[in-house]
Structures are given as C-alpha cells and as structure tokens.
Amino acid sequence: QVQLEESGGGSVRAGGSLRLSCKTNGGTFRSMCMAWFRQPPGKEREAVAEIDSFGSPKYPDSMKGRFTISKDNFMNILFLQMNNLDPDDTAVYSCAARVPCWREQYNYWGQGTQVTVSS
C-alpha cells in the first residue's frame, strides 16, 4: 500500500512562488511514476506535470515554463516548484503515483493541498 501526503500549499500573491511536497510511504519510491494534478474550483482535474522512474519530467504545453517537477529518491518526496503564479493557478493540487509504473492510470492519490493565488 502506498500513501501520499501533500504539503506546502497556501495563499500567495500573483507573481509569487510556492513549492509543494508529496511525502510517500510504502512501495519502492524510486521505481514509481508520479505526477501532480490540480482541480480549479468548478473545473475538471488536469495534469500539471509528470515524472517517470528515471526522473524525466513531462509537462502539458500549457504548464511549460513555470512549473518544475522533481523527485528526491533518498527522502521519498515528490516536489512541484511553481513560479510566477497567476490567479488562474488557484486549485487543489494533488500528487499521484502509478504503481507499477507500466500502469496507464494513476492508482494512488494524496488528499490534496489548496493553493490560492490572489491578484
């Protein structure tokens, strides 16, 4: 069983930065494929960034440039660095894992952390 717990959310002014963390317990962290998703109020959940077991990141075109995903395989933590935040980035951000990595769907999810960006 894999447990994911996000932290680092909060309120920030437009143009500011936040770093989200996702602490992972259980499973073999370095072999996981992981991702950050977000769900803005009243909207569908969307992918923000993904990272494979080799540490290679992938971003949707709309997220490139301001978000950086990374893994610390020693501490078993997934990070999301978010820069130059905009009010449209306001959402609940959740981390997810695919275990094993060859799965098509993410099968483990955290509870989410709220990010609020004010203008």
Side-chain angles (χ1 to χ4, degrees), residues 49-104:
E50 297 180 273
I51 189 164
D52 65 19
S53 58
F54 300 102
S56 296
K58 186 170 66 173
Y59 306 93
D61 288 342
S62 60
M63 305 294 177
K64 288 180 179 177
R66 297 187 299 119
F67 296 88
T68 303
I69 190 171
S70 61
K71 296 173 69 181
D72 183 330
N73 288 330
F74 179 72
M75 297 296 293
N76 293 353
I77 300 177
L78 177 74
F79 296 104
L80 182 68
Q81 178 67 42
M82 306 186 294
N83 297 325
N84 193 23
L85 285 163
D86 182 88
D88 288 340
D89 296 315
T90 294
V92 175
Y93 286 72
S94 300
C95 61
R98 294 204 315 266
V99 182
C101 203
W102 51 258
R103 290 180 62 96
E104 290 190 7

Side-chain angles (χ1 to χ4, degrees), residues 3-4 9 15 22-23 29 36 72 84 89 91 94 98 100 105 107-108 110 117-118:
Q3 296 176 322
L4 308 176
C22 174
K23 176 65 175 167
F29 182 80
W36 287 97
D72 183 330
N84 193 23
D89 296 315
S94 300
R98 294 204 315 266
Q105 302 294 325
N107 53 335
Y108 292 100
V117 184
S118 59

Side-chain angles (χ1 to χ4, degrees), residues 7-28:
S7 62
S11 297
V12 65
R13 301 288 292 271
S17 297
L18 281 174
R19 187 175 79 157
L20 305 182
S21 299
C22 174
K23 176 65 175 167
T24 303
N25 291 303
T28 304

Side-chain angles (χ1 to χ4, degrees), residues 34-47:
M34 303 193 74
W36 287 97
F37 289 80
R38 71 182 185 184
Q39 186 164 20
K43 296 184 179 180
E44 298 280 320
R45 185 170 62 196
E46 59 184 349

